[in-house]
Amino acid sequence: MKNKRLIGVLAALALLVIGIIVYQSLSSQNQKSSQSDTFKVGVLQYVSHNALDEIYRGIKAGMKEEGYSGKKIKIDFMNAEGDQSKVQTMSQTLVNHKNDVLIGIATPAAQGLASATKDTPIVMGAVTDPVGAKLVKNLKKPDGNVTGVSDKTPIKAQVDLVKTLTPKVKTIGVIYSSSEDNSKSQVAEFKKRAEKKGYEVLEYSVPSTNEIATTMNVMLEKADAVWIPLDNTIASAFPTVVSAAKAAKKPIYPSVDTMVNEGGLASVVVDQYELGVATGKMAVKLFEGKNVSDLPVNIFDKGTPVVNKKVAKELGITIPADVLKKTKNK
């Protein structure tokens, strides 16, 4: 009898242990399943300024439109604030966090992420020259782990707008960062197109924001107007540019709408928010199983005119009615 009771107790204990193991196994599987349904995305923004902030806002909206918000998504966001050493360390941190997809907002951020991993899919957010930046070799069929969205500056239309709004301008000063690859390619194209239209183009590059004020003062002694490419260094210190141009009573033609609103005269621009939306949606496609090679770089190259009526009035410039009809910021 005692043996039978002992056997019964042991059998009950065995069943209990088996039950616990099975329960833990099922619980673990459910937890893994739940985790796999949560989109972990690492986002690295190069620096804070309105244009890049708009891209990040668009990224979140794009992912939300695809059904990823609340508990379905975990955003691991970092901002290097223009510090290249932080770009490298933050890129490696985002890789180490085992995010499903990485997003780099601006060229230096995308380059940092690309240097940190060759395995995790990376989406470029607003990279003007992906090939020149050595992020992709083939825009139509990326062969590495990087694809994304390119904001091709509508430079021809910008040059035409300078001619339309300020026909007396003969010399255009260009200020840009010497450390940003995208800026160099934009400046080269702008110079080529502007010189064909008869303008003299004066180039001024700066290594950091510290030299912008001095450089602007030197440039404005010779230039009738200022053109600025998509450049994060200049954008992050744009009030300095505006202050100098305002004192000299010279118009600024930036390449993003936020900078027009902040004191530029006018431009033909690609919508930064919509760039972000497209970037967010591309990241979702990668999370849901698409391969990088299946997603060509999405190029935004059709611009819309934007004008700052207040600045135009201050400079005594009349905006033609046909330009106003087409403007984005009516």
Side-chain angles (χ1 to χ4, degrees):
M1 290 291 291
K2 289 183 179 180
N3 288 339
K4 287 182 179 181
R5 286 178 182 175
L6 181 59
I7 292 170
V9 170
L10 291 174
L13 287 172
L15 288 171
L16 180 61
V17 171
I18 292 171
I20 291 171
I21 292 171
V22 170
Y23 173 80
Q24 289 179 337
S25 177
L26 290 172
S27 177
S28 177
Q29 288 177 6
N30 289 335
Q31 186 178 9
K32 288 179 181 178
S33 175
S34 176
Q35 288 174 345
S36 66
D37 291 337
T38 300
F39 180 17
K40 291 177 60 181
V41 55
V43 181
L44 177 61
Q45 183 170 319
Y46 177 58
V47 69
S48 294
H49 61 71
N50 287 342
L52 297 191
D53 293 343
E54 276 295 284
I55 292 171
Y56 181 48
R57 191 169 73 87
I59 287 170
K60 291 186 288 186
M63 294 189 293
K64 186 176 181 179
E65 286 180 21
E66 296 299 307
Y68 289 88
S69 61
K71 293 182 179 179
K72 290 197 68 177
I73 188 167
K74 181 180 179 183
I75 300 177
D76 194 358
F77 177 79
M78 293 186 177
N79 190 327
E81 296 297 355
D83 187 330
Q84 194 59 44
S85 63
K86 286 184 179 179
V87 168
Q88 304 307 319
T89 56
M90 288 180 175
S91 294
Q92 193 58 57
T93 298
L94 289 172
V95 172
N96 293 342
H97 285 179
K98 306 296 182 184
N99 288 292
D100 300 306
V101 179
L102 300 171
I103 297 176
I105 304 177
T107 303
Q111 288 174 322
L113 292 171
S115 296
T117 178
K118 302 301 178 187
D119 300 316
T120 307
I122 297 169
V123 180
M124 305 174 290
V127 173
T128 305
D129 185 8
V131 175
K134 297 181 180 178
L135 288 164
V136 298
K137 293 180 180 178
N138 189 327
L139 295 174
K140 293 183 179 180
K141 198 171 182 64
D143 58 357
N145 64 320
V146 182
T147 186
V149 178
S150 174
D151 52 345
K152 177 69 174 173
T153 310
I155 290 176
K156 181 181 181 300
Q158 291 177 352
V159 174
D160 291 341
L161 189 64
V162 174
K163 180 74 74 175
T164 299
L165 300 187
T166 48
K168 293 183 180 180
V169 165
K170 303 297 181 185
T171 304
I172 303 174
V174 176
I175 184 168
Y176 66 100
S177 169
S178 57
S179 62
E180 295 191 35
D181 295 330
N182 277 343
S183 298
K184 296 173 186 176
S185 62
Q186 291 173 77
V187 170
E189 183 180 349
F190 178 83
K191 186 174 183 178
K192 180 179 178 181
R193 290 188 178 278
E195 288 180 343
K196 280 186 178 180
K197 292 286 185 177
Y199 292 107
E200 180 184 3
V201 177
L202 305 176
E203 295 182 44
Y204 292 84
S205 63
V206 294
S208 70
T209 57
N210 297 329
E211 291 78 17
I212 290 177
T214 302
T215 303
M216 282 295 299
N217 291 332
V218 171
M219 181 173 68
L220 289 167
E221 290 180 0
K222 303 176 182 178
D224 304 318
V226 178
W227 179 79
I228 299 173
L230 291 165
D231 186 294
N232 297 293
T233 300
I234 307 303
S236 63
F238 191 57
T240 302
V241 176
V242 172
S243 178
K246 190 172 183 177
K249 297 183 179 180
K250 304 285 180 71
I252 305 170
Y253 289 91
S255 293
V256 290
D257 52 357
T258 54
M259 291 168 74
V260 172
N261 296 334
E262 292 164 11
L265 171 62
S267 190
V268 179
V269 302
V270 172
D271 191 294
Q272 301 296 292
Y273 177 80
E274 292 301 324
L275 282 169
V277 170
T279 302
K281 290 185 175 183
M282 187 173 285
V284 168
K285 289 180 180 177
L286 290 168
F287 173 65
E288 292 183 340
K290 285 283 188 180
N291 295 318
V292 168
S293 58
D294 297 328
L295 298 174
V297 174
N298 189 352
I299 300 175
F300 281 62
D301 57 2
K302 292 183 180 179
T304 305
V306 288
V307 298
N308 188 319
K309 296 177 185 177
K310 180 182 176 182
V311 171
K313 185 177 180 180
E314 291 172 353
L315 294 172
I317 295 170
T318 301
I319 308 297
D322 60 332
V323 174
L324 285 174
K325 286 180 182 177
K326 299 174 185 175
T327 55
K328 168 184 171 183
N329 55 342
K330 297 176 183 178

